[in-house]
């Protein structure tokens, strides 16, 4: 079975999507439509902008989404997903790819999500950190033992987790992780504590936008971050997408479930090759490709 996976924030690079724009009339039309919807020329930043400009949350999230979704649309007849999944922001790309969301609605939600997350980041100093070389349960136990808010946020692959929360709590947790035997525990250069309770104000804001958006029955199931299971019911997809901002990304568990359900080829659609690398670490036998 063909599985398509879509990357999240962090996969962006200067020049992303330029080749698509120049080689496909469909891609160029969709990029121009995106500029119109967003009210600024995101293509200028994607194609010519600095890494610093691309790193702004209000730019990064729509940019990664657009690269992924437009690339999928240019694959034409070759694009026949039997299952899809996306890492964090990538879940929105996956939902356009499997027909749950329209291109326009997906982009509007991603833009609103980025702005809501930006606002939430400004309320309390918060951050994320990568923890390497510890079992999931040890990471969870260490987080639970720390005063303040710090939780496991991204289960990326065995031995690679990201924690998220208040800056002081994350810093304390990093020291405790090293003491517990972690190979590394390092603060990440992110704007705030994504996928943690610190995103509650953003979740509330995004929930209203998601509720007001039409979700259609998809052509194939999506393996959602929150459940790591196949979901095909539009209302259930909507509910899980609302929870996603404050809940962990169960990427390891999603990939394992997709393999258990018959995935034979994982194709990463979008900038970079991060997910293909993680999938190979989750299951050494997994066959991966890039669109």
């Amino acid at each position: 079975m063909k599985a398509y996976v879509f990357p999240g924030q962090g996969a962006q690079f200067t020049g992303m999507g330029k080749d698509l724009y120049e080689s496909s009339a469909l891609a160029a039309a969709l990029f121009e439509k995106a500029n119109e919807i967003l009210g600024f020329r995101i293509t200028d930043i994607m194609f010519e902008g600095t890494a610093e400009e691309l790193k702004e949350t209000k730019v990064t999230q729509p940019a990664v989404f657009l690269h992924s979704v437009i690339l999928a649309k240019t694959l034409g007849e070759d694009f026949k997903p039997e299952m899809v999944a996306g890492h964090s922001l990538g879940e929105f790309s996956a939902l356009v790819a499997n027909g749950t969301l329209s291109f326009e609605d997906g982009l509007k939600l991603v833009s609103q999500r980025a702005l809501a997350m930006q606002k939430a980041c400004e309320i309390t100093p918060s951050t994320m950190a990568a923890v390497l070389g510890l079992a999931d349960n040890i990471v969870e136990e260490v987080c639970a033992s720390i005063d303040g808010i710090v939780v496991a946020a991204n289960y990326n692959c065995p031995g690679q987790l990201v924690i998220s929360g208040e800056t002081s709590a994350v810093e304390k947790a990093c020291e405790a992780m090293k003491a517990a035997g972690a190979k590394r525990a390092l603060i990440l250069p992110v704007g705030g504590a994504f996928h943690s309770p610190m995103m509650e104000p953003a979740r509330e804001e995004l929930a209203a936008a998601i509720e007001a958006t039409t979700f259609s029955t998809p052509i194939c199931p999506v393996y959602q971050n929150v459940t790591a299971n196949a979901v095909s019911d539009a209302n259930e997809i909507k509910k899980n997408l609302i929870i996603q901002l404050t809940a962990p990304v169960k990427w390891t568990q999603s990939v394992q479930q997709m393999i258990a359900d018959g995935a034979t080829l994982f194709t990463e659609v979008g900038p970079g090759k991060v997910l293909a690398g993680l999938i190979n670490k989750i299951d050494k036998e997994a066959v991966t490709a890039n669109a």
Side-chain angles (χ1 to χ4, degrees), residues 1-5 82-85 223 254-267 279 283 285-288:
M1 287 176 80
K2 286 184 184 173
Y4 286 85
V5 293
E82 291 169 278
M83 45 175 79
V84 294
Y223 286 70
S254 297
V255 171
Q256 287 167 339
Q257 192 58 52
M258 290 166 97
I259 291 167
D261 291 349
T264 50
L265 172 64
F266 288 89
T267 303
I279 290 164
D283 188 321
E285 306 299 306
V287 182
T288 58

Side-chain angles (χ1 to χ4, degrees), residues 20 24 42 53 59 80 100 102 120 126 181 202 210 221 233 246 251 269 285:
L20 279 174
S24 160
I42 192 167
E53 288 170 310
V59 174
K80 291 195 173 71
T100 306
S102 69
S126 60
I210 288 173
D233 177 78
T246 51
W251 188 251
V269 187
E285 306 299 306

Side-chain angles (χ1 to χ4, degrees), residues 19 37 74 77 203 274 281:
D19 53 340
I37 291 168
T74 61
E77 286 301 300
R203 189 197 65 78
V274 171
K281 285 177 182 160

